[in-house]
């Protein structure tokens, strides 16, 4: 998609991530009031997209990182500018949340004008739903900013179904639900970055909430989807591989031909980076790579951080087939004993 500026690229994310209106039916505020608040937030995001100069003083030529791993692009000034834009928008959103809690908040001129434009000219007369979304039990700035009214509804599903090809996405979703996987809206609460992500996780592996993303501290099979506006292809869907690839690569012979081909295609081949032995002072520890023979070719596959390779910016039926096959394999090969060995729990 073409953007008139880097700032427009970044402000588009808030509009893109805003789910469709799904009210909470038994809330202390009416559905009509919730609709009014939703329309206010949507209008705010549309204003920021149409004219980012409403929130930042300077606009820059559009640019984007090739991937979410920014350092290889060699443009530190781009990262700094991206952060400035995010801070400008998210300072407004945070202040709006705090206003709803009755906190003393000092708004700058741009923030006051934006709120006036969306119909909030008297900060002492905020809508009741605004106050409810700020003060209800477990209220968060992210739920406030994206109008996540109903805590029992997973809003990010519809967002990412819209961003990816809906038919294959819904087919993958249907299969996961049939296997007992559960969906979750996931976002940071220790520090707020206003990124709404989706997780589908098999709770049989672990009774904890799934982590955000699919690269680190993965304890469940499933998928993770996220949206990073500063990337050329901002939406990414990743396969979640619990506890690294090691226990699965050790069962390579048990994989179906389709899973074998998928694993060989996607898994990183050892390039001798020596990350896996960097703490070894003896120099005797062997590399962690696992030797695999496939179609008369020998591979040395790296079991570390598979989420980096098992991630895609678009999906189709063939990929969904492969993901289902691999998820099925991962869920089936580990019995209670072997799963406990690698730090999880599994019940058939």
């Amino acid at each position: 998609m073409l953007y008139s500026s880097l700032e427009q690229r970044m402000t588009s994310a808030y509009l893109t991530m805003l789910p469709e209106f799904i009210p909470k039916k038994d809330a202390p505020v009416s559905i009509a009031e919730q609709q009014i608040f939703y329309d206010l937030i949507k209008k705010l995001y549309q204003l920021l997209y149409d004219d980012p100069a409403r929130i930042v003083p300077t606009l820059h030529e559009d640019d984007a990182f090739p991937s979410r791993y920014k350092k290889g692009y060699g443009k530190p000034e781009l990262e700094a500018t991206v952060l400035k834009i995010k801070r400008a928008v998210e300072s407004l959103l945070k202040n709006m949340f705090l206003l709803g809690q009755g906190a003393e908040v000092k708004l700058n001129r741009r923030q006051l004008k934006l709120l006036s434009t969306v119909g909030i000219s008297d900060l002492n007369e905020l809508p009741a739903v605004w106050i409810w979304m700020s003060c209800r039990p477990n209220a968060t700035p992210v739920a406030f900013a994206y109008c996540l009214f109903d805590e029992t509804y997973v809003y990010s599903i519809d967002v990412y179904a819209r961003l990816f090809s809906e038919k294959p996405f819904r087919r993958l979703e249907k299969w996961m639900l049939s296997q007992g996987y559960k969906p979750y809206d996931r976002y940071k609460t220790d520090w707020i970055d206003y990124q709404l992500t989706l997780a589908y996780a098999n709770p049989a592996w672990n009774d904890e909430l799934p982590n955000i993303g699919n690269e680190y501290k993965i304890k469940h099979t499933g998928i993770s989807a996220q949206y990073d506006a500063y990337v050329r292809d901002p939406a990414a869907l990743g396969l979640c591989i619990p506890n690294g690839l090691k226990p699965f690569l050790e069962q390579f012979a048990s994989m179906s031909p389709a899973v074998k081909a998928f694993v060989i295609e996607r898994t990183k081949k050892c390039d001798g980076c020596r990350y896996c032995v960097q703490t070894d002072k003896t120099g005797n520890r062997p590399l962690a790579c696992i030797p695999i023979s496939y179609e008369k070719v020998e591979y040395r596959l790296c079991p570390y951080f598979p989420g980096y390779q098992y991630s895609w910016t678009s999906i189709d039926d063939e990929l969904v087939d492969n993901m289902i096959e691999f998820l099925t394999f991962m869920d089936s090969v580990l019995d209670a004993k072997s799963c406990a060995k690698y730090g999880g729990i599994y019940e058939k």
Side-chain angles (χ1 to χ4, degrees), residues 161-176:
R162 168 168 40 91
L163 288 171
F164 293 105
S165 299
E166 181 134 4
K167 186 177 178 180
F169 181 91
R170 293 298 188 184
R171 187 163 70 86
L172 176 60
E173 177 193 26
K174 182 179 179 180
W175 178 85
M176 288 188 294

Side-chain angles (χ1 to χ4, degrees), residues 217-285:
K217 298 181 180 179
I218 304 304
K219 298 181 180 180
H220 313 76
T221 49
I223 65 166
S224 176
Q226 62 190 78
Y227 187 92
D228 296 286
Y230 55 80
V231 179
R232 289 175 191 168
D233 296 308
L237 186 145
L239 195 66
C240 295
I241 301 173
N243 312 304
L245 270 170
K246 185 175 187 290
F248 307 110
L249 293 178
E250 290 175 340
Q251 299 287 335
F252 186 83
S254 302
M255 295 178 182
S256 69
V259 174
K260 286 181 179 178
F262 184 59
V263 167
I264 290 295
E265 175 197 357
R266 299 304 307 184
T267 306
K268 178 185 176 182
K269 284 67 177 178
C270 178
D271 58 7
C273 74
R274 301 188 66 80
Y275 173 86
C276 57
V277 294
Q278 63 179 325
T279 60
D280 176 32
K281 297 180 180 180
T282 68
N284 297 322
R285 184 190 303 169

Side-chain angles (χ1 to χ4, degrees), residues 89-158:
V89 177
E90 294 172 6
S91 172
L92 169 63
L93 296 175
K94 182 180 178 182
N95 283 341
M96 290 171 66
F97 180 75
L98 293 174
L99 282 170
Q101 295 182 330
E104 291 288 336
V105 175
K106 186 176 181 180
L107 301 177
N108 62 38
R109 177 179 56 82
R110 286 188 174 87
Q111 293 173 344
L112 287 169
K113 188 172 182 180
L114 274 165
L115 291 183
S116 177
T117 304
V118 298
I120 305 297
S121 54
D122 187 348
L123 300 181
N124 295 313
E125 294 291 335
L126 298 176
V129 65
W130 182 317
I131 297 171
W132 170 64
M133 286 293 286
S134 300
C135 298
R136 64 180 179 171
N138 301 316
T140 71
V142 179
F144 176 95
Y146 291 121
C147 301
L148 311 184
F149 300 114
D150 188 344
E151 305 94 325
T152 66
Y153 189 86
V154 183
Y155 289 83
S156 57
I157 296 174
D158 298 333

Side-chain angles (χ1 to χ4, degrees), residues 18-34:
L18 183 66
E20 295 300 314
F21 174 64
I22 304 292
K24 183 177 176 66
K25 294 181 181 178
D26 58 349
V29 290
S30 69
I31 291 176
E33 289 176 294
Q34 293 176 63

Side-chain angles (χ1 to χ4, degrees), residues 148 151-157 160 177 180-187 196-204 206-212 220-221 223-225:
L148 311 184
E151 305 94 325
T152 66
Y153 189 86
V154 183
Y155 289 83
S156 57
I157 296 174
Y160 286 100
L177 290 174
Y181 287 62
K182 293 184 178 180
Y184 304 85
D185 285 329
R186 298 292 287 127
Y187 47 84
L196 180 62
T197 73
L198 167 67
Y200 260 100
N202 184 348
N206 197 288
D207 57 5
E208 299 178 19
L209 283 174
N211 205 359
I212 296 173
H220 313 76
T221 49
I223 65 166
S224 176

